[in-house]
Amino acid sequence: MSAARVLVVEHEDGTGPAQVGERIAGQGLLTDMCRPWAGDALPRDLDDHDALLVLGGSMGPHDDERAPWLPDVRDLLRQAVARDLPTLAVCLGMELLTVACGGEVRHAALPEVGLCELMPLQEAAEDRLFGPLTHAGGRLRAVQWHWEETGALPDGAVPLVASERCVHQSYRIGTSVWGVQFHPEVLADDIRSWGTSDVGPLHDLGLEPAGVVAEVARAETELRALWGAFAEQWAAIVTDTATAVPIVPAGPTPGQR
């Protein structure tokens, strides 16, 4: 049997799959990187792929003039939903999934940047992807970097995770399509360049880029264990295995929020 193939859509330089890409490759999945920002052509359909991973970016889900490939990405996401194809849509990816499927994205009243606490909802306990996190117990934290958010879910979407500032941190459509507003893929080195390019917006939020990066760096062991295993669980779903990957969140490091 040939290995499962994942189409990975990267929207701009510096926003690659990072540890999620490493973990799913380690589980035997083949990744086809598509970088439309660098001139790669998106496929018209998903016939040659077993899964779809849509990453983040600094543009918004309606910024078609800035990123003219976005309509094609929204179309691929609609195709994934129609097929119930295993899909993970991250940050901008989730916002694209939301608008592609009839939901609404709005500017966040309180943008989230840096390390933030997540609150699994009741539905997460029975979810194939998020269930292991809730069963393991412990606090859930992830890196956030967004100024927009899902205001209204697509019809039929199941909300899974919230945060203090953002009610829709994650949802599922069907049985196999997930959107996550947070960034399970990144660690401190991955966001260092984001802080450099977003100095002004961060200062507007009262944040220093170096401080944001340092906080994420202090939590790296926790983030690597939690979201790396989350990525492996998604890989298990893609390959349709029945073996759940145990996810054991690390305890908080003293001095962290």
Side-chain angles (χ1 to χ4, degrees):
M1 180 182 296
S2 60
R5 303 193 71 91
V6 181
L7 175 64
V8 182
V9 181
E10 181 186 280
H11 293 287
E12 61 186 343
D13 194 17
T15 61
Q19 73 161 340
V20 167
E22 295 169 5
R23 291 298 187 103
I24 65 176
Q27 296 300 302
L29 275 61
L30 301 177
T31 55
D32 292 336
M33 290 295 306
C34 185
R35 299 180 172 93
W37 62 269
D40 292 349
L42 284 161
R44 297 184 63 181
D45 56 51
L46 297 165
D47 291 350
D48 295 330
H49 295 94
D50 303 287
L52 175 63
L53 173 59
V54 181
L55 299 168
S58 59
M59 62 286 292
H62 296 291
D63 286 346
D64 296 357
E65 290 188 7
R66 176 181 173 187
W69 59 86
L70 293 184
D72 292 334
V73 178
R74 294 194 295 268
D75 184 60
L76 287 173
L77 286 164
R78 281 189 289 267
Q79 291 182 44
V81 169
R83 299 183 183 195
D84 205 24
L85 189 79
T87 297
L88 183 60
V90 176
C91 199
L92 170 63
M94 172 170 152
E95 296 161 10
L96 288 165
L97 176 64
T98 296
V99 299
C101 296
E104 296 180 1
V105 170
R106 65 191 179 197
H107 290 292
L110 296 170
E112 294 177 304
V113 177
L115 197 60
C116 296
E117 199 94 15
L118 300 178
M119 299 178 292
L121 305 177
Q122 183 176 354
E123 293 83 354
E126 303 303 320
D127 183 75
R128 288 195 294 166
L129 184 55
F130 281 92
L133 277 73
T134 64
H135 299 157
R139 71 192 303 190
L140 300 179
R141 300 192 297 175
V143 177
Q144 307 274 4
W145 206 284
H146 68 100
W147 278 258
E148 295 187 271
E149 64 184 11
T150 292
L153 292 175
D155 288 345
V158 178
L160 299 171
V161 181
S163 70
E164 183 177 358
R165 292 187 176 187
C166 178
V167 67
H168 298 307
Q169 279 290 337
S170 180
Y171 64 82
R172 186 189 72 247
I173 300 178
T175 69
S176 302
V177 177
W178 288 272
V180 295
Q181 187 65 70
F182 57 91
H183 284 277
E185 81 280 18
V186 299
L187 298 170
D189 284 346
D190 303 304
I191 66 169
R192 206 174 301 276
S193 64
W194 302 1
T196 300
S197 61
D198 286 342
V199 171
L202 290 181
H203 284 171
D204 291 343
L205 297 176
L207 298 171
E208 288 295 333
V212 173
V213 173
E215 183 183 37
V216 173
R218 289 193 295 269
E220 181 151 324
T221 299
E222 171 190 344
L223 297 174
R224 189 181 295 277
L226 178 62
W227 301 113
F230 172 88
E232 292 181 4
Q233 179 68 10
W234 186 67
I237 293 168
V238 172
T239 54
D240 199 28
T241 66
T243 304
V245 178
I247 299 179
V248 182
T253 302
Q256 294 181 17
R257 65 182 182 185

